[in-house]
Amino acid sequence: MTAELDTIEWNWAGNYSYGASEIHRPESVEDLQALVAAAPKIRALGSRHSFNPLADSEGVLVSLANLAPNITLDAENLTVSVSAGTTYGVLATELSKHGFALHNLASLPHISVAGAIATGTHGSGDGNGNLATSVVGMTFVDARGELVTVSRADTPDFAAYVVGLGAFGILTEVTLRIETNFTVAQHVYSALPWDTVLADLDTITSTAYSVSLFTDWSGDTVGQAWFKQRQGDGLTKNFPEELFGGRAATTERHPLPNVSAVNCTPQLGLAGNASDRLSHFRMDYLPSNGDEIQSEYLVPREHAVAAINAMRQLTSVITPLLLVAEIRTIAADDLWLSGNYGRDGIGLHFTWRLDQAAVEGVLPLIEEALAPFGARPHWGKVFTLDAATIAPLYPKFEEFKALVRQVDPQGKFGNEFLERVVFAD
């Protein structure tokens, strides 16, 4: 087991420095168990792609980066078990070698399985649930240092544990549903008129397996539309030079204007493994050096057009701070603290310039504009809502809190952030 005492440990984006000075990197599950049992306060630090204090601890932090991936494939039952600290890119690549795939990936394949699941991170697609919806089993170290396994088949409250915010313990292994490998071709179009998009949003988002719209909310057109076409799925078969008023890109594009696409996944309709197309960015390149802040709000599908219009009306305050925004669709699920619990929805994602004070000044305006639509914040990104505002958005919120207190009565895995946004009465 290794521990480091660092004066400052920053998240990937560079907008948050962790308060815990001691970061342990155990090399075995047994070491992790001993560490958890002895620590008064402890939380897991994943790939550091959270933009708020969610992963922090007033005690010590633990990274699972030194634990081997231990990817175990069950081809007969179409599941895979994997060490929780493994990145999605490593897992998806290994599955592809054996003829299998995950149902979806987030825009970055560099994020850890445990961290993405715990926060409800997602990709896009009308029929695609977030990444946590593929979870069928989990093993974690509880406050006593003991291994606990929960499963969809055998645990009545399993749906509470999955998007668990790290509040139940330190995940060591996750079992996911998988499927036979499939190929995807990615097509990018620019300058779709907003009038067309808003008049026919359902048709646009159902055109491909996964669809993303990139915008800065200003002007009369959407900057780019990315259509990830699953081969043989019966959706649009041909992507012409013009689609929904937009023009097909003739060179590969980055979501940000005038930025090289070298770190983006292949486009121009070139089909390849799902593991190489479902993310926007390639595993073998870092998408950037950070230097950004992210926020996201999940809105019920029936309010999609109204919510988009509300954001366009705020362009004078949003656009000057924005690098790019992305609109994606996500299918409903039954996970208690998922942004899409009980409802199909859209994600309104904001990638901001690295100016924390200015972003925090704009977020209340966005949250106020989206409040009539029941917008839920992404747990791993920057928002200003507190527990009193968030609680009514989740039908199982109080049950979640009660279960956490039952599993971790001393609050070993809690922190100030969770107290403020979940457990405050």
Side-chain angles (χ1 to χ4, degrees), residues 301-312:
R301 185 62 187 252
E302 62 267 27
H303 299 310
V305 171
I308 290 170
N309 277 328
M311 295 302 93
R312 294 184 68 207

Side-chain angles (χ1 to χ4, degrees), residues 5 33 94 115 127 164 223 278 304 326 343 365 412:
L5 294 175
Q33 289 179 260
E94 183 65 18
L278 288 177
E326 183 179 5
R343 66 193 201 190
L365 299 176
K412 176 175 286 195

Side-chain angles (χ1 to χ4, degrees), residues 20 31-45 53-62 140-146 164-171 401 403-419 423:
D31 283 348
L32 174 62
Q33 289 179 260
L35 176 63
V36 173
K41 301 282 285 188
I42 187 169
R43 284 183 66 78
L45 185 65
L54 174 62
D56 209 351
S57 172
E58 290 85 29
V60 300
L61 288 171
V62 58
F140 62 91
V141 179
D142 71 6
R144 301 165 297 176
E146 297 182 4
L165 311 183
F168 293 104
I170 309 296
L171 278 179
K401 290 164 59 177
L403 186 59
V404 170
R405 287 168 174 151
Q406 176 186 326
V407 174
D408 181 24
Q410 302 304 314
K412 176 175 286 195
F413 304 108
N415 62 12
E416 182 279 331
F417 180 81
L418 288 177
E419 286 300 318
F423 293 101

Side-chain angles (χ1 to χ4, degrees), residues 232-249:
D233 63 5
L235 300 178
T236 300
K237 297 179 181 179
N238 298 309
F239 283 79
E241 290 185 6
E242 183 173 319
L243 186 67
F244 301 115
R247 299 290 297 178

